[in-house]
Amino acid sequence: TAAFVGLNVCLSASRTAKNAGTYAVTPSGTDANYNLSFVDGALVINKASATVTANSGTVTYNGANQTVSGFTASGLVGGETEAALTGVSASRTAKNAGSYVITPNGLTSANYTVSFVDGTLTINPAALNAIVASLTGSTSKVYDGSSAATLTPGNFSLSGFVSGEGA
């Protein structure tokens, strides 16, 4: 809001806005001695910069699907929270040991220029701390001049794997 009052002149121009954009500002006024002409001005509110970072997580392989979802946002203004960024999503599901990129996406915001930062889902290998090899049945051979011996599945068993898995 701008106002000027002097001698016989009374001028004013006012505009209120909250969201990013360009808004016309139209002056007005009167003067007893002059014919006034006015030129509109503009109120320009630029977009703020915000960064969306996908959440990351680390788990140990357990044979089941693992999911990391969600994000954090920085650069939000005026007390706004992540709720102001409707349409943003970031999620990744994987089962096997490895490193998986979580790419956030979505949202075109009227008030923010949004940049995205990837997160990571890391599934570490499970420790096989209890592999037990039991030899069963006939495990001997007759000397034949070689060092090779063949075991069949009936001659051994393994245990200690994640539930539902085996050798």
Side-chain angles (χ1 to χ4, degrees):
T1 299
F4 173 77
V5 177
L7 301 177
N8 293 321
V9 178
C10 179
L11 301 174
S12 69
S14 177
R15 182 63 190 232
T16 301
K18 175 183 175 182
N19 295 318
T22 301
Y23 303 90
V25 179
T26 304
S28 63
T30 60
D31 182 85
N33 296 318
Y34 294 93
N35 289 323
L36 303 175
S37 60
F38 299 98
V39 176
D40 287 349
L43 168 62
V44 178
I45 301 175
N46 294 316
K47 289 183 176 186
S49 295
T51 301
V52 170
T53 303
N55 290 341
S56 293
T58 301
V59 296
T60 299
Y61 174 76
N62 66 6
N65 283 335
Q66 304 297 312
T67 300
V68 172
S69 60
F71 64 92
T72 58
S74 60
L76 301 177
V77 297
E80 290 186 324
T81 66
E82 283 88 355
L85 303 176
T86 58
V88 172
S89 65
S91 182
R92 181 69 187 251
T93 299
K95 179 179 180 178
N96 295 318
S99 183
Y100 303 90
V101 175
I102 304 167
T103 302
N105 58 60
L107 181 70
T108 301
S109 174
N111 290 320
Y112 293 98
T113 299
V114 181
S115 60
F116 295 101
V117 177
D118 292 343
T120 305
L121 166 58
T122 302
I123 301 175
N124 292 321
L128 282 177
N129 17 341
I131 295 181
V132 177
S134 321
L135 296 177
T136 59
S138 175
T139 57
S140 62
K141 79 173 213 167
V142 175
Y143 174 75
D144 63 3
S146 73
S147 61
T150 302
L151 293 175
T152 64
N155 295 120
F156 63 91
S157 64
L158 299 173
S159 62
F161 294 96
V162 169
S163 178
E165 294 185 354

PDB file of all heavy atoms in Angstrom, residues 3 16-17 20 30-31 47 50 55 60 70 79-80 82 105-106 109 115 123 134 136 138-139 141 148 157 160 162 164:
ATOM      1  N   ALA A   3       0.559   5.562  -0.380  1.00  0.00           N
ATOM      2  CA  ALA A   3      -0.382   6.684  -0.422  1.00  0.00           C
ATOM      3  C   ALA A   3       0.409   7.977  -0.402  1.00  0.00           C
ATOM      4  O   ALA A   3       1.480   8.057   0.192  1.00  0.00           O
ATOM      5  CB  ALA A   3      -1.342   6.617   0.758  1.00  0.00           C
ATOM      6  N   THR A  16      -2.754  -6.811  -2.103  1.00  0.00           N
ATOM      7  CA  THR A  16      -2.352  -7.827  -1.136  1.00  0.00           C
ATOM      8  C   THR A  16      -2.373  -9.174  -1.839  1.00  0.00           C
ATOM      9  O   THR A  16      -3.331  -9.478  -2.556  1.00  0.00           O
ATOM     10  CB  THR A  16      -3.320  -7.856   0.058  1.00  0.00           C
ATOM     11  OG1 THR A  16      -3.308  -6.569   0.672  1.00  0.00           O
ATOM     12  CG2 THR A  16      -2.899  -8.898   1.075  1.00  0.00           C
ATOM     13  N   ALA A  17      -1.338  -9.982  -1.645  1.00  0.00           N
ATOM     14  CA  ALA A  17      -1.293 -11.328  -2.223  1.00  0.00           C
ATOM     15  C   ALA A  17      -0.379 -12.193  -1.377  1.00  0.00           C
ATOM     16  O   ALA A  17       0.503 -11.691  -0.672  1.00  0.00           O
ATOM     17  CB  ALA A  17      -0.802 -11.274  -3.660  1.00  0.00           C
ATOM     18  N   ALA A  20       2.788 -17.166  -5.000  1.00  0.00           N
ATOM     19  CA  ALA A  20       3.685 -16.744  -6.069  1.00  0.00           C
ATOM     20  C   ALA A  20       2.869 -16.383  -7.303  1.00  0.00           C
ATOM     21  O   ALA A  20       1.880 -17.024  -7.626  1.00  0.00           O
ATOM     22  CB  ALA A  20       4.679 -17.860  -6.383  1.00  0.00           C
ATOM     23  N   THR A  30      -7.100  11.693  -7.004  1.00  0.00           N
ATOM     24  CA  THR A  30      -7.751  12.896  -7.521  1.00  0.00           C
ATOM     25  C   THR A  30      -6.880  14.113  -7.231  1.00  0.00           C
ATOM     26  O   THR A  30      -6.044  14.101  -6.321  1.00  0.00           O
ATOM     27  CB  THR A  30      -9.130  13.106  -6.853  1.00  0.00           C
ATOM     28  OG1 THR A  30      -8.946  13.234  -5.446  1.00  0.00           O
ATOM     29  CG2 THR A  30     -10.082  11.960  -7.158  1.00  0.00           C
ATOM     30  N   ASP A  31      -7.106  15.120  -8.031  1.00  0.00           N
ATOM     31  CA  ASP A  31      -6.462  16.414  -7.792  1.00  0.00           C
ATOM     32  C   ASP A  31      -7.374  17.477  -8.383  1.00  0.00           C
ATOM     33  O   ASP A  31      -7.875  17.335  -9.503  1.00  0.00           O
ATOM     34  CB  ASP A  31      -5.085  16.474  -8.455  1.00  0.00           C
ATOM     35  CG  ASP A  31      -4.411  17.800  -8.150  1.00  0.00           C
ATOM     36  OD1 ASP A  31      -3.783  17.893  -7.071  1.00  0.00           O
ATOM     37  OD2 ASP A  31      -4.524  18.720  -8.981  1.00  0.00           O
ATOM     38  N   LYS A  47       8.592 -17.685  -6.792  1.00  0.00           N
ATOM     39  CA  LYS A  47       8.522 -18.974  -6.109  1.00  0.00           C
ATOM     40  C   LYS A  47       9.716 -19.125  -5.165  1.00  0.00           C
ATOM     41  O   LYS A  47      10.821 -18.687  -5.479  1.00  0.00           O
ATOM     42  CB  LYS A  47       8.566 -20.132  -7.112  1.00  0.00           C
ATOM     43  CG  LYS A  47       7.311 -20.275  -7.941  1.00  0.00           C
ATOM     44  CD  LYS A  47       7.426 -21.500  -8.852  1.00  0.00           C
ATOM     45  CE  LYS A  47       6.152 -21.733  -9.623  1.00  0.00           C
ATOM     46  NZ  LYS A  47       6.220 -22.993 -10.400  1.00  0.00           N
ATOM     47  N   ALA A  50      12.437 -25.175  -2.723  1.00  0.00           N
ATOM     48  CA  ALA A  50      12.264 -26.246  -1.733  1.00  0.00           C
ATOM     49  C   ALA A  50      12.966 -27.489  -2.243  1.00  0.00           C
ATOM     50  O   ALA A  50      13.065 -27.717  -3.450  1.00  0.00           O
ATOM     51  CB  ALA A  50      10.783 -26.536  -1.496  1.00  0.00           C
ATOM     52  N   ASN A  55      13.287 -40.540   1.908  1.00  0.00           N
ATOM     53  CA  ASN A  55      13.825 -41.221   3.083  1.00  0.00           C
ATOM     54  C   ASN A  55      14.723 -42.369   2.650  1.00  0.00           C
ATOM     55  O   ASN A  55      14.539 -42.945   1.575  1.00  0.00           O
ATOM     56  CB  ASN A  55      12.694 -41.769   3.952  1.00  0.00           C
ATOM     57  CG  ASN A  55      11.910 -40.666   4.637  1.00  0.00           C
ATOM     58  OD1 ASN A  55      12.376 -39.544   4.757  1.00  0.00           O
ATOM     59  ND2 ASN A  55      10.714 -40.987   5.084  1.00  0.00           N
ATOM     60  N   THR A  60      18.521 -55.749   7.271  1.00  0.00           N
ATOM     61  CA  THR A  60      19.244 -56.990   6.986  1.00  0.00           C
ATOM     62  C   THR A  60      18.300 -57.948   6.278  1.00  0.00           C
ATOM     63  O   THR A  60      17.126 -58.050   6.642  1.00  0.00           O
ATOM     64  CB  THR A  60      19.767 -57.619   8.292  1.00  0.00           C
ATOM     65  OG1 THR A  60      20.663 -56.673   8.905  1.00  0.00           O
ATOM     66  CG2 THR A  60      20.512 -58.915   8.028  1.00  0.00           C
ATOM     67  N   GLY A  70       8.321 -42.342   2.008  1.00  0.00           N
ATOM     68  CA  GLY A  70       8.244 -41.042   2.663  1.00  0.00           C
ATOM     69  C   GLY A  70       9.383 -40.127   2.250  1.00  0.00           C
ATOM     70  O   GLY A  70      10.300 -40.517   1.533  1.00  0.00           O
ATOM     71  N   GLY A  79       5.773 -21.225   7.772  1.00  0.00           N
ATOM     72  CA  GLY A  79       5.264 -22.255   8.671  1.00  0.00           C
ATOM     73  C   GLY A  79       4.669 -23.456   7.952  1.00  0.00           C
ATOM     74  O   GLY A  79       4.062 -24.313   8.586  1.00  0.00           O
ATOM     75  N   GLU A  80       4.821 -23.531   6.631  1.00  0.00           N
ATOM     76  CA  GLU A  80       4.269 -24.671   5.897  1.00  0.00           C
ATOM     77  C   GLU A  80       5.069 -25.939   6.192  1.00  0.00           C
ATOM     78  O   GLU A  80       6.251 -25.891   6.507  1.00  0.00           O
ATOM     79  CB  GLU A  80       4.255 -24.391   4.387  1.00  0.00           C
ATOM     80  CG  GLU A  80       3.242 -23.337   4.012  1.00  0.00           C
ATOM     81  CD  GLU A  80       3.109 -23.135   2.523  1.00  0.00           C
ATOM     82  OE1 GLU A  80       4.111 -23.220   1.795  1.00  0.00           O
ATOM     83  OE2 GLU A  80       1.981 -22.881   2.091  1.00  0.00           O
ATOM     84  N   GLU A  82       5.429 -30.435   5.070  1.00  0.00           N
ATOM     85  CA  GLU A  82       5.395 -31.315   3.904  1.00  0.00           C
ATOM     86  C   GLU A  82       3.985 -31.462   3.338  1.00  0.00           C
ATOM     87  O   GLU A  82       3.803 -31.767   2.166  1.00  0.00           O
ATOM     88  CB  GLU A  82       5.965 -32.702   4.254  1.00  0.00           C
ATOM     89  CG  GLU A  82       7.474 -32.768   4.349  1.00  0.00           C
ATOM     90  CD  GLU A  82       8.013 -32.425   5.736  1.00  0.00           C
ATOM     91  OE1 GLU A  82       7.211 -32.042   6.615  1.00  0.00           O
ATOM     92  OE2 GLU A  82       9.229 -32.531   5.932  1.00  0.00           O
ATOM     93  N   ASN A 105       9.214 -38.130  -6.593  1.00  0.00           N
ATOM     94  CA  ASN A 105       8.669 -37.514  -7.804  1.00  0.00           C
ATOM     95  C   ASN A 105       7.311 -36.916  -7.506  1.00  0.00           C
ATOM     96  O   ASN A 105       6.770 -37.072  -6.433  1.00  0.00           O
ATOM     97  CB  ASN A 105       8.576 -38.551  -8.926  1.00  0.00           C
ATOM     98  CG  ASN A 105       7.718 -39.726  -8.541  1.00  0.00           C
ATOM     99  OD1 ASN A 105       6.542 -39.573  -8.243  1.00  0.00           O
ATOM    100  ND2 ASN A 105       8.301 -40.908  -8.508  1.00  0.00           N
ATOM    101  N   GLY A 106       6.791 -36.233  -8.508  1.00  0.00           N
ATOM    102  CA  GLY A 106       5.465 -35.630  -8.410  1.00  0.00           C
ATOM    103  C   GLY A 106       5.541 -34.138  -8.176  1.00  0.00           C
ATOM    104  O   GLY A 106       6.609 -33.533  -8.213  1.00  0.00           O
ATOM    105  N   SER A 109       4.422 -27.228  -8.065  1.00  0.00           N
ATOM    106  CA  SER A 109       3.897 -26.317  -7.053  1.00  0.00           C
ATOM    107  C   SER A 109       3.803 -24.892  -7.581  1.00  0.00           C
ATOM    108  O   SER A 109       4.723 -24.401  -8.230  1.00  0.00           O
ATOM    109  CB  SER A 109       4.800 -26.347  -5.822  1.00  0.00           C
ATOM    110  OG  SER A 109       4.381 -25.368  -4.886  1.00  0.00           O
ATOM    111  N   SER A 115      13.242 -29.155  -6.033  1.00  0.00           N
ATOM    112  CA  SER A 115      14.303 -30.057  -6.502  1.00  0.00           C
ATOM    113  C   SER A 115      14.216 -31.336  -5.677  1.00  0.00           C
ATOM    114  O   SER A 115      13.772 -31.326  -4.531  1.00  0.00           O
ATOM    115  CB  SER A 115      15.681 -29.409  -6.378  1.00  0.00           C
ATOM    116  OG  SER A 115      15.965 -29.074  -5.033  1.00  0.00           O
ATOM    117  N   ILE A 123      19.734 -53.228   1.634  1.00  0.00           N
ATOM    118  CA  ILE A 123      19.441 -54.508   2.273  1.00  0.00           C
ATOM    119  C   ILE A 123      20.775 -55.245   2.385  1.00  0.00           C
ATOM    120  O   ILE A 123      21.358 -55.646   1.378  1.00  0.00           O
ATOM    121  CB  ILE A 123      18.430 -55.342   1.474  1.00  0.00           C
ATOM    122  CG1 ILE A 123      17.113 -54.561   1.319  1.00  0.00           C
ATOM    123  CG2 ILE A 123      18.182 -56.685   2.171  1.00  0.00           C
ATOM    124  CD1 ILE A 123      16.084 -55.244   0.439  1.00  0.00           C
ATOM    125  N   SER A 134      26.014 -82.022   7.622  1.00  0.00           N
ATOM    126  CA  SER A 134      26.046 -83.344   8.246  1.00  0.00           C
ATOM    127  C   SER A 134      26.240 -84.362   7.143  1.00  0.00           C
ATOM    128  O   SER A 134      25.501 -84.376   6.173  1.00  0.00           O
ATOM    129  CB  SER A 134      24.731 -83.684   8.942  1.00  0.00           C
ATOM    130  OG  SER A 134      24.187 -82.584   9.580  1.00  0.00           O
ATOM    131  N   THR A 136      25.853 -87.996   5.875  1.00  0.00           N
ATOM    132  CA  THR A 136      25.011 -89.144   6.195  1.00  0.00           C
ATOM    133  C   THR A 136      25.216 -90.221   5.141  1.00  0.00           C
ATOM    134  O   THR A 136      25.687 -89.950   4.040  1.00  0.00           O
ATOM    135  CB  THR A 136      23.516 -88.747   6.216  1.00  0.00           C
ATOM    136  OG1 THR A 136      23.181 -88.229   4.935  1.00  0.00           O
ATOM    137  CG2 THR A 136      23.237 -87.726   7.287  1.00  0.00           C
ATOM    138  N   SER A 138      26.685 -93.543   3.174  1.00  0.00           N
ATOM    139  CA  SER A 138      28.026 -93.999   2.815  1.00  0.00           C
ATOM    140  C   SER A 138      28.845 -92.834   2.303  1.00  0.00           C
ATOM    141  O   SER A 138      28.507 -92.194   1.315  1.00  0.00           O
ATOM    142  CB  SER A 138      27.932 -95.080   1.730  1.00  0.00           C
ATOM    143  OG  SER A 138      29.225 -95.437   1.313  1.00  0.00           O
ATOM    144  N   THR A 139      29.932 -92.508   2.993  1.00  0.00           N
ATOM    145  CA  THR A 139      30.783 -91.386   2.607  1.00  0.00           C
ATOM    146  C   THR A 139      32.218 -91.839   2.379  1.00  0.00           C
ATOM    147  O   THR A 139      33.149 -91.075   2.526  1.00  0.00           O
ATOM    148  CB  THR A 139      30.757 -90.301   3.698  1.00  0.00           C
ATOM    149  OG1 THR A 139      31.174 -90.886   4.927  1.00  0.00           O
ATOM    150  CG2 THR A 139      29.386 -89.688   3.829  1.00  0.00           C
ATOM    151  N   LYS A 141      35.072 -94.087  -0.213  1.00  0.00           N
ATOM    152  CA  LYS A 141      35.275 -94.508  -1.592  1.00  0.00           C
ATOM    153  C   LYS A 141      36.459 -95.451  -1.647  1.00  0.00           C
ATOM    154  O   LYS A 141      37.319 -95.447  -0.760  1.00  0.00           O
ATOM    155  CB  LYS A 141      35.464 -93.311  -2.499  1.00  0.00           C
ATOM    156  CG  LYS A 141      36.846 -92.675  -2.483  1.00  0.00           C
ATOM    157  CD  LYS A 141      36.961 -91.615  -3.549  1.00  0.00           C
ATOM    158  CE  LYS A 141      38.402 -91.596  -4.058  1.00  0.00           C
ATOM    159  NZ  LYS A 141      38.586 -90.866  -5.259  1.00  0.00           N
ATOM    160  N   ALA A 148      39.316 -87.085  -6.230  1.00  0.00           N
ATOM    161  CA  ALA A 148      37.913 -86.686  -6.329  1.00  0.00           C
ATOM    162  C   ALA A 148      37.016 -87.683  -5.618  1.00  0.00           C
ATOM    163  O   ALA A 148      37.199 -88.888  -5.723  1.00  0.00           O
ATOM    164  CB  ALA A 148      37.501 -86.572  -7.787  1.00  0.00           C
ATOM    165  N   SER A 157      23.356 -82.641   4.518  1.00  0.00           N
ATOM    166  CA  SER A 157      22.246 -81.718   4.696  1.00  0.00           C
ATOM    167  C   SER A 157      22.800 -80.402   5.215  1.00  0.00           C
ATOM    168  O   SER A 157      23.824 -80.382   5.894  1.00  0.00           O
ATOM    169  CB  SER A 157      21.211 -82.296   5.675  1.00  0.00           C
ATOM    170  OG  SER A 157      21.782 -82.431   6.954  1.00  0.00           O
ATOM    171  N   GLY A 160      20.314 -73.536   8.635  1.00  0.00           N
ATOM    172  CA  GLY A 160      20.718 -72.223   9.126  1.00  0.00           C
ATOM    173  C   GLY A 160      20.308 -71.101   8.193  1.00  0.00           C
ATOM    174  O   GLY A 160      20.681 -69.957   8.410  1.00  0.00           O
ATOM    175  N   VAL A 162      17.624 -68.427   6.129  1.00  0.00           N
ATOM    176  CA  VAL A 162      16.444 -67.647   6.443  1.00  0.00           C
ATOM    177  C   VAL A 162      15.231 -68.529   6.172  1.00  0.00           C
ATOM    178  O   VAL A 162      15.221 -69.334   5.243  1.00  0.00           O
ATOM    179  CB  VAL A 162      16.385 -66.368   5.564  1.00  0.00           C
ATOM    180  CG1 VAL A 162      15.055 -65.677   5.675  1.00  0.00           C
ATOM    181  CG2 VAL A 162      17.518 -65.426   5.938  1.00  0.00           C
ATOM    182  N   GLY A 164      12.250 -70.546   5.007  1.00  0.00           N
ATOM    183  CA  GLY A 164      11.706 -70.797   3.683  1.00  0.00           C
ATOM    184  C   GLY A 164      12.748 -70.903   2.588  1.00  0.00           C
ATOM    185  O   GLY A 164      12.411 -71.081   1.431  1.00  0.00           O
TER     186      GLY A 164
END
